[in-house]
Amino acid sequence: MAALRYAGLDDTDSEDELPLGWEQRTTKDGWVYYANHTEEKTQWEHPKTGKRKRIAGDLPYGWEQETDENGQVYFVDHINKRTTYLDPRLAFTVDDNPTKPTNRQRYDGSTTAMEILQGRDFTGKVVVVTGANSGIGFETAKSFALHGAHVILACRNMSRANEAVSLILGEWHKAKVEAMTLDLAQLRSVQHFAQAFKAKNVSLHVLVCNAAAFALPWSLTKDGLETTFQVNHLGHFYLVQLLQDVLCRSAPARVVVVSSESHRFTDINDSSGKLDFSRLSPSKNDYWAMLAYNRSKLCNILFSNELHRRLSPRGVTSNAVHPGNMMYSSIHRNWWVYTLLFTLARPFTKSMMM
């Protein structure tokens, strides 16, 4: 094949030779896909063998990966001073044969964040992820960044946030990723974050409300509210309100609220069926950490549903998601009993990447 010879690779396997009008390409994260120029479509499976492949190993010495103005990946051979859209590592691909999903369910409990975005190009998109310095927030931010998005890690601890930025840049040095201060336990900090973000004069296509507190001892924030309620719900509620105009201007845009199945095990109404505000920010005598967490997650669900009802006509969708039993997460770090329980359950649960 001419393209392979141009890249310095000779194809000797006739089974893998592509039909006329087909081209082999790769994504930023190393997955191989096939472009049918005749029908103007792409697919993951090889048109002859039906196999999926991914790249193995690093680029050869002197080669560098770049992205053109259309978001297409291409490769520069600095030694021979030439460029090609063909990955020079294609001679060293390995087969990937995942279990084919059913028509009813495309993803399952073993699907990773990178697989969710596989083949998607987010070049030019702006994504904000709260609590992105660790856990599933970090994996989400990394996946978006490695797929071309400009990602902002909105975190309370800037030292850890900058470490997370360095880890992402270590995987792809051209990733557009930065950290900004956001402490959801302080409404003034939420306001300052929104002001600083708006000062950048950029769009906002995806806002992932991920940060959360779990199993905290009772305490009040500087705003006089119970901490779990403010961090898990009210801080995010306020953040979305402050950035609502940017989201609408950036439509189509999306808000993703990370909730939990634990929202099913509580209620925020009193015995007469009316909303009981004292349950949202309880006193110390009425506080139970697990119940406070469950109620905050129920608030997430209700908020996301109402947000979608109000903003979807303006091009902003909202979804609340249960990430699964993320036992590898550090969310349980506030009490040693939960840490022990989660450690024992770790072999039977999902990892942060899934």
Side-chain angles (χ1 to χ4, degrees):
M1 296 170 63
L4 283 172
R5 289 195 294 272
Y6 179 69
L9 306 170
D10 291 323
D11 182 25
T12 58
D13 187 352
S14 59
E15 182 188 42
D16 285 337
E17 186 173 350
L18 292 170
L20 185 66
W22 286 80
E23 182 185 359
Q24 191 171 222
R25 297 177 178 175
T26 55
T27 63
K28 289 186 181 73
D29 50 332
W31 291 94
V32 178
Y33 68 100
Y34 304 90
N36 183 340
H37 295 295
T38 303
E39 299 181 11
E40 297 184 347
K41 66 178 183 179
T42 61
Q43 63 186 56
W44 293 110
E45 295 80 11
H46 190 286
K48 282 188 176 181
T49 66
K51 296 179 180 178
R52 293 190 178 196
K53 292 186 176 183
R54 57 184 174 85
I55 298 298
D58 299 325
L59 286 169
Y61 177 76
W63 286 79
E64 185 178 10
Q65 180 176 287
E66 300 282 356
T67 306
D68 64 20
E69 63 275 9
N70 297 318
Q72 176 65 48
V73 175
Y74 69 96
F75 301 88
V76 180
D77 179 359
H78 292 290
I79 296 177
N80 297 306
K81 301 186 184 305
R82 59 182 179 175
T83 61
T84 176
Y85 283 92
L86 194 68
D87 193 318
R89 297 167 295 175
L90 283 171
F92 309 103
T93 57
V94 295
D95 290 343
D96 179 70
N97 296 306
T99 302
K100 291 188 178 296
T102 65
N103 291 332
R104 295 183 62 187
Q105 181 172 315
R106 184 177 180 184
Y107 306 112
D108 58 25
S110 299
T111 306
T112 66
M114 292 297 290
E115 290 171 342
I116 292 292
L117 299 184
Q118 186 184 98
R120 301 287 300 275
D121 185 4
F122 283 85
T123 301
K125 303 297 184 182
V126 180
V127 178
V128 171
V129 184
T130 68
N133 59 272
S134 64
I136 58 174
F138 172 75
E139 294 297 332
T140 301
K142 180 179 74 172
S143 184
F144 273 118
L146 296 184
H147 285 81
H150 175 188
V151 181
I152 295 174
L153 283 64
C155 306
R156 176 178 58 85
N157 188 320
M158 286 305 292
S159 176
R160 294 178 62 186
N162 288 326
E163 290 178 5
V165 169
S166 297
L167 288 173
I168 295 173
L169 291 174
E171 294 207 26
W172 186 36
H173 71 285
K174 292 190 176 182
K176 295 181 179 180
V177 56
E178 61 178 302
M180 292 179 63
T181 303
L182 173 65
D183 186 352
L184 294 166
Q186 299 184 43
L187 296 181
R188 183 177 295 274
S189 175
V190 177
Q191 189 176 51
H192 288 168
F193 173 87
Q195 291 171 345
F197 178 84
K198 289 182 177 181
K200 292 178 176 292
N201 292 316
V202 297
S203 300
L204 178 56
H205 301 97
V206 182
L207 172 57
V208 182
C209 299
N210 161 79
F214 177 76
L216 291 178
W218 183 88
S219 65
L220 295 180
T221 66
K222 291 183 178 180
D223 301 299
L225 297 163
E226 191 277 312
T227 304
T228 300
F229 170 67
Q230 180 164 334
V231 171
N232 293 6
H233 171 64
L234 191 62
H236 282 129
F237 175 91
Y238 189 39
L239 178 65
V240 173
Q241 301 310 303
L242 293 174
L243 297 179
Q244 178 176 308
D245 56 336
V246 184
L247 286 163
C248 291
R249 288 199 307 268
S250 307
R254 175 170 297 189
V255 176
V256 179
V257 183
V258 180
S259 184
S260 170
E261 280 291 324
S262 65
H263 81 275
R264 301 180 185 278
F265 307 109
T266 188
D267 197 352
I268 55 176
N269 293 334
D270 59 21
S271 57
S272 64
K274 295 182 179 180
L275 178 63
D276 184 354
F277 287 99
S278 66
R279 297 190 180 192
L280 300 180
S281 183
S283 65
K284 187 174 184 178
N285 292 334
D286 297 326
Y287 179 78
W288 180 32
M290 191 68 217
L291 192 57
Y293 178 80
N294 293 353
R295 286 171 176 165
S296 71
K297 296 291 103 178
L298 176 56
C299 288
N300 289 163
I301 298 287
L302 297 174
F303 166 58
S304 179
N305 288 347
E306 179 62 17
L307 184 69
H308 183 81
R309 187 186 70 82
R310 295 189 183 194
L311 296 190
S312 57
R314 302 175 64 183
V316 180
T317 59
S318 178
N319 300 90
V321 299
H322 168 56
N325 298 319
M326 311 302 294
M327 297 297 188
Y328 286 8
S329 171
S330 59
I331 193 173
H332 54 78
R333 63 185 176 275
N334 297 294
W335 191 27
W336 68 269
V337 174
Y338 283 114
T339 300
L340 176 61
L341 175 62
F342 284 20
T343 300
L344 294 173
R346 177 177 295 183
F348 311 102
T349 56
K350 297 173 65 177
S351 70
M352 290 182 295
M353 294 182 292
M354 293 179 180

